[in-house]
Amino acid sequence: MTTRTENVTPNWFAAIMGTGIVSNAAATLPVHAPGLRAFAVVVWVCAATALAILCCAFAAHWTSHRTNALGHARDPIMVQFYGAPPMALLTVAAGAMLVGPDVVGTTVSGVLFVVLWTLGTAAGLTTAVVVPYLMMTAHDHRQVVALPAWLMPVVPPMVSASTGALLLPHIAEGQWRLTLLALCYAMFGLSLIVGMLTMASIYSRLVHGGVPPVQAAPTVWIALGLVGQSITAANLLPSAAPAGISGGLRMFGIVYGLVMGGFGVFVFALAAAITVHAFRRGLTFSLTWWSFTFPVGTCVTGATALGTALGSTLIHGLAVVLYVALVGAWGTVAVRTVRRSGPRPHALPTTAAINVASSSVA
């Protein structure tokens, strides 16, 4: 008999990521529209509640349906989405620091941030190493092709770096703050370098092998997550750096943000074109649609951070426009998810359904 937790897969956590980033982006926007703060609080509460429920369901899945869970972990497609749980933890953690005090008070929100950030960072660093290791040693290399989903286990350390910037100001100046700053930049470098190598492989595969299967097309937006999150980190981290190096790090963040932003425009345009192409070929709803949310949300936070560092009204305006698009995408995907998962949660489409199609494209 099928139970509600039998088919709980790690890509479900993408819904938490996509919801949490809506709150975080709203809390950091350079505008103060009426009701925006309240909206951010409500969305964060929804994300935090959903995270708690999903973590319990995922634990029950591993406890009661270990065979299924191990099968997902061994699947070369599904294993990539083990990067989603750490990012869900980190996204909700950031919300705890940004809007959590309005709900649970400063002390509780601070503790919640530290706990979730620590767990998310540890899980993300583990995933960033273990998943590539499994790809190298345990998967069938005869059918391996580079897919956008390969970025999922790579991005978590970058999310830790950008959200770690929220913790730095609360640590007294000295060696402890400097150590955390160094750790954040180290995670920035890890994620950026491995991520760019991965994107090069994905780009080469797309150019030489064609676009992904129709149902996998939304995953091309994942590349935008690394772009936006890295710009966010590069421009937030210098604010808590020691006086002697803060100026240089701030300049690095601005230059990096402008250069990577140009690349981001290319990635955004290409992803949009591939998505339109997929809709024309019959793209239907699945959990991959959550790829339309979190990556765009990171571009909002990146544009906000870069615009603030540079003092650019134009870039701040871009952040607002992107946020409007983000809310539209999130609303559409959230409603469709609820409609599809309500009566039969176990029937909600998962990325595993595209495994055969993905493997057949060389």
Side-chain angles (χ1 to χ4, degrees):
M1 180 179 178
T2 301
T3 67
R4 288 178 175 269
T5 63
E6 183 172 349
N7 293 302
V8 178
T9 48
N11 55 332
W12 282 39
F13 284 89
I16 311 299
M17 295 163 53
T19 300
I21 198 67
V22 171
S23 173
N24 299 347
T28 58
L29 274 180
V31 298
H32 302 284
L36 185 61
R37 178 76 179 185
F39 174 71
V41 170
V42 171
V43 174
W44 177 74
V45 170
C46 291
T49 302
L51 176 64
I53 295 172
L54 189 52
C55 284
C56 292
F58 198 56
H61 171 69
W62 269 93
T63 301
S64 303
H65 306 284
R66 186 172 296 274
T67 300
N68 281 8
L70 290 173
H72 295 150
R74 295 187 183 111
D75 186 276
I77 305 297
M78 187 58 73
V79 73
Q80 307 298 330
F81 289 89
Y82 269 90
M87 288 191 281
L89 291 169
L90 293 166
T91 304
V92 173
M97 186 67 80
L98 292 170
V99 302
D102 293 5
V103 182
V104 294
T106 302
T107 301
V108 174
S109 64
V111 172
L112 185 60
F113 173 85
V114 172
V115 171
L116 292 179
W117 187 85
T118 302
L119 291 174
T121 297
L125 289 173
T126 300
T127 301
V129 175
V130 171
V131 172
Y133 173 78
L134 291 175
M135 294 170 66
M136 296 173 188
T137 61
H139 293 165
D140 184 356
H141 295 90
R142 292 172 297 179
Q143 296 184 340
V144 171
V145 293
L147 298 171
W150 282 14
L151 285 166
M152 287 296 293
V154 174
V155 178
M158 187 65 78
V159 182
S160 291
S162 63
T163 53
L166 299 174
L167 179 60
L168 285 168
H170 298 276
I171 300 177
E173 291 188 17
Q175 289 300 310
W176 284 108
R177 182 189 288 191
L178 184 61
T179 299
L180 180 58
L181 179 68
L183 174 62
C184 287
Y185 272 106
M187 291 189 290
F188 173 92
L190 182 162
S191 187
L192 178 65
I193 294 173
V194 178
M196 295 305 291
L197 291 173
T198 304
M199 275 201 273
S201 298
I202 295 168
Y203 182 77
S204 176
R205 181 258 181 220
L206 291 175
V207 171
H208 293 95
V211 295
V214 171
Q215 289 304 113
T219 61
V220 297
W221 289 86
I222 295 174
L224 205 60
L226 180 62
V227 174
Q229 203 66 254
S230 64
I231 295 174
T232 304
N235 285 280
L236 290 183
L237 288 172
S239 62
I245 61 174
S246 60
L249 292 178
R250 179 176 178 276
M251 184 58 64
F252 166 76
I254 291 173
V255 174
Y256 175 85
L258 292 172
V259 173
M260 184 59 79
F263 177 63
V265 172
F266 166 77
V267 174
F268 191 103
L270 188 61
I274 292 175
T275 302
V276 171
H277 181 263
F279 272 114
R280 289 175 175 173
R281 295 168 60 199
L283 175 65
T284 57
F285 176 75
S286 71
L287 282 184
T288 58
W289 279 36
W290 282 101
S291 301
F292 297 141
T293 58
F294 184 80
V296 177
T298 67
C299 292
V300 176
T301 59
T304 297
L306 176 59
T308 300
L310 191 60
S312 172
T313 303
L314 176 63
I315 297 178
H316 274 168
L318 175 62
V320 174
V321 171
L322 287 172
Y323 186 73
V324 172
L326 168 64
V327 172
W330 171 73
T332 300
V333 179
V335 169
R336 285 178 175 265
T337 300
V338 171
R339 286 178 177 174
R340 292 294 295 271
S341 62
R344 299 168 60 197
H346 58 279
L348 190 65
T350 68
T351 341
I354 66 173
N355 190 8
V356 175
S358 299
S359 301
S360 66
V361 180

